[in-house]
Amino acid sequence: MGELNKEVVDLVWKRPGSNGVSASLFRRWTQGLVFSETEHTALEQFEGGPCAVIAPIQVWTIRWPRQAHIFLDSTFRKSPDRHSAELPSLLLFIRVLYAALADEDLGFERFHSILQKRIVKSLSELREEVVSLYETWKGRCGVLFFLYSVILTKGIVNIRNEIEDTTEPLVDPVYGHGSQSLVNLLVTGHAVSNVWDGDRECSGMKLHGIHNQTSVGFLTLMESLRYCKVGAFLKSPKFPIWILGSETHLSVFFAKEMCLVAPESPSEQARRVFQTFDPEDNGFIPDSLLEEVMKALDLVSEPEYYVSLMKSKLDPEGLGIVLLAPFLLEFFPDQDTGIPDSFPVYHYNGLKQSNHNERVEYVQGTALVLGLEDPMVRTDDTPVKRCLQTKWPYIELLWNTDRSPSLN
């Protein structure tokens, strides 16, 4: 195995002290980029694991169904500087000796020993290379070719500098699940380990999050269980497409209503800023932070009078806290979000066994977004719904199929 290939393997698979990657786990990841026979823009996933790569590619085939290569362009435009979007000077492309791949069932070591690298210097050259190797992408290892290409283009050192815990590989060597760093790398171009907005300090350590509005979003069931808090940059992307995360799998939810991702309203901005001062998602801040929040939102923040007046008004019982809801009501009352009451929605799950009749197809439905919970409009409490409620708390879903789509 070449030195460069070893570095890629260590980054993706290796955890210190582990016994390597089992044959069964590696086999789950050796699949091509194959589209469903019944839904021609939907990628199929054969076994658990590679959804961390397949789902991010899927969101771009949804956005540009006839131009999936735009995903490559978008990903490879991410420069080594984590806050820049300039094109790197070189684009790296992984391929393998195709004859060897066709003639034998390659194991982990053999596969990585025969990988080849090709350097391309422009997006047009990259597109030509991608098209010329179309059958290779569809073949046994297309998912890994794509993943390794992204890693080498971004740069191994740059990725390690963004990952919070460099001892944790991008793919769990025991269970085969992709890490949050891997998902963030393919969605945002940055392999940060967290989903909140901006950076946070914890015990003297800087923990990196998401710094800009993303093109496509991410929501997770883990937030409904209060294990994490997804920030506004991932919850409110530029396009109405979201990767949905469960405990073990990634699927995709999307709509055609661009008003769902309209520019951030003043009240939405206020909620986001308020929550940066409430990192534990308690729904309140100490009243001592009110002045800082008001300054961050360019509200009148003269401390001697106005801030003191607002403290008294927002904390009439003198508890020393300011709640989010009264804060928004005071400064941003009756703001229309512009979201329609109902709109068509779609869900994608790449696993055949998770689809009706084991056919990978988009499941269509109608979303109802209510201002408050309405006991007269109550649908099943499913994982998909609980995941979406982290963005739309009072959403209800009416699917066109006999059963609700699966998050797993």
Side-chain angles (χ1 to χ4, degrees), residues 1-50:
M1 186 184 300
E3 186 60 33
L4 185 59
N5 290 351
K6 183 179 183 303
E7 290 182 24
V8 173
V9 168
D10 288 349
L11 177 67
V12 176
W13 303 100
K14 191 167 184 179
R15 176 182 292 159
S18 68
N19 296 322
V21 178
S22 69
S24 61
L25 189 153
F26 182 63
R27 187 164 52 249
R28 283 159 46 192
W29 276 80
T30 52
Q31 78 151 81
L33 298 173
V34 179
F35 289 98
S36 168
E37 293 182 357
T38 55
E39 192 78 69
H40 299 310
T41 59
L43 289 165
E44 286 194 10
Q45 180 183 338
F46 303 152
E47 297 187 69

Side-chain angles (χ1 to χ4, degrees), residues 221 244 246 249 251-254 345-357 359-366 379-388 396-408:
L221 185 65
L244 305 184
S246 71
H249 188 49
S251 58
V252 179
F253 175 85
F254 62 102
V345 294
Y346 306 84
H347 182 264
Y348 154 86
N349 190 322
L351 289 170
K352 275 188 175 182
Q353 60 267 33
S354 298
N355 284 266
H356 182 58
N357 293 330
R359 293 197 301 250
V360 176
E361 297 175 330
Y362 303 135
V363 180
Q364 184 174 353
T366 300
T379 57
D380 292 341
D381 184 24
T382 63
V384 170
K385 177 180 166 183
R386 292 200 301 273
C387 188
L388 295 174
E396 299 291 344
L397 299 163
L398 302 172
W399 298 103
N400 294 357
T401 52
D402 292 336
R403 68 178 189 182
S404 298
S406 172
L407 205 58
N408 289 309

Side-chain angles (χ1 to χ4, degrees), residues 3 9 27 36 53 64 88 128 139 147 157 164 202 205 227 316 367:
E3 186 60 33
V9 168
R27 187 164 52 249
S36 168
V53 175
W64 287 284
E128 290 178 7
L147 173 58
V157 172
E164 200 164 283
C202 180
M205 294 178 56
Y227 285 112

Side-chain angles (χ1 to χ4, degrees), residues 53-156:
V53 175
I54 292 174
I57 297 177
Q58 181 64 49
V59 298
W60 292 99
T61 65
I62 290 170
R63 178 65 186 95
W64 287 284
R66 297 183 181 179
Q67 304 178 58
H69 63 74
I70 290 179
F71 178 79
L72 293 170
D73 296 359
S74 172
T75 303
F76 291 156
R77 283 183 183 276
K78 307 301 181 182
S79 84
D81 182 340
R82 65 190 299 269
H83 297 299
S84 173
E86 297 176 1
L87 187 65
S89 58
L90 295 177
L91 299 171
L92 302 176
F93 189 82
I94 288 291
R95 57 182 175 179
V96 72
L97 296 178
Y98 191 73
L101 183 63
D103 291 341
E104 59 180 297
D105 186 8
L106 296 179
F108 186 86
E109 295 295 333
R110 173 66 174 151
F111 170 78
H112 290 97
S113 70
I114 62 174
L115 282 178
Q116 293 181 337
K117 176 187 69 178
R118 171 166 165 71
I119 301 176
V120 294
K121 298 182 180 180
S122 68
L123 289 175
S124 60
E125 190 177 346
L126 173 65
R127 291 191 190 99
E128 290 178 7
E129 192 74 22
V130 169
V131 172
S132 70
L133 293 171
Y134 178 70
E135 292 301 322
T136 305
W137 289 109
K138 290 170 55 181
R140 189 180 304 172
C141 299
V143 166
L144 290 179
F145 294 156
F146 178 83
L147 173 58
Y148 292 176
S149 297
V150 171
I151 288 172
L152 290 179
T153 300
K154 170 79 176 182
I156 294 173

Side-chain angles (χ1 to χ4, degrees), residues 121-282:
K121 298 182 180 180
S122 68
L123 289 175
S124 60
E125 190 177 346
L126 173 65
R127 291 191 190 99
E128 290 178 7
E129 192 74 22
V130 169
V131 172
S132 70
L133 293 171
Y134 178 70
E135 292 301 322
T136 305
W137 289 109
K138 290 170 55 181
R140 189 180 304 172
C141 299
V143 166
L144 290 179
F145 294 156
F146 178 83
L147 173 58
Y148 292 176
S149 297
V150 171
I151 288 172
L152 290 179
T153 300
K154 170 79 176 182
I156 294 173
V157 172
N158 297 315
I159 292 175
R160 288 197 182 279
N161 287 339
E162 292 177 342
I163 294 176
E164 200 164 283
D165 184 354
T166 56
T167 66
E168 289 297 312
L170 294 178
V171 176
D172 188 289
V174 177
Y175 301 104
H177 303 143
S179 68
Q180 188 65 50
S181 292
L182 174 55
V183 176
N184 285 348
L185 171 65
L186 297 179
V187 171
T188 73
H190 303 300
V192 296
S193 304
N194 304 297
V195 293
W196 56 60
D197 293 336
D199 299 336
R200 294 183 181 179
E201 295 281 343
C202 180
S203 301
M205 294 178 56
K206 179 174 282 190
L207 307 180
H208 297 301
I210 308 300
H211 278 260
N212 299 288
Q213 183 188 30
T214 54
S215 293
V216 295
F218 177 80
L219 304 172
T220 174
L221 185 65
M222 296 297 98
E223 180 171 349
S224 71
L225 301 174
R226 299 185 67 85
Y227 285 112
C228 68
K229 176 73 173 178
V230 178
F233 290 138
L234 281 171
K235 279 188 178 176
S236 301
K238 296 176 182 177
F239 301 106
I241 308 172
W242 291 265
I243 292 175
L244 305 184
S246 71
E247 303 93 331
T248 59
H249 188 49
L250 298 173
S251 58
V252 179
F253 175 85
F254 62 102
K256 298 178 181 179
E257 302 284 342
M258 287 301 295
C259 61
L260 298 178
V261 289
E264 191 176 47
S265 68
S267 62
E268 290 170 333
Q269 180 195 21
R271 180 185 295 271
R272 174 172 58 81
V273 170
F274 189 99
Q275 289 174 336
T276 63
F277 290 86
D278 176 25
E280 296 182 1
D281 195 28
N282 294 314

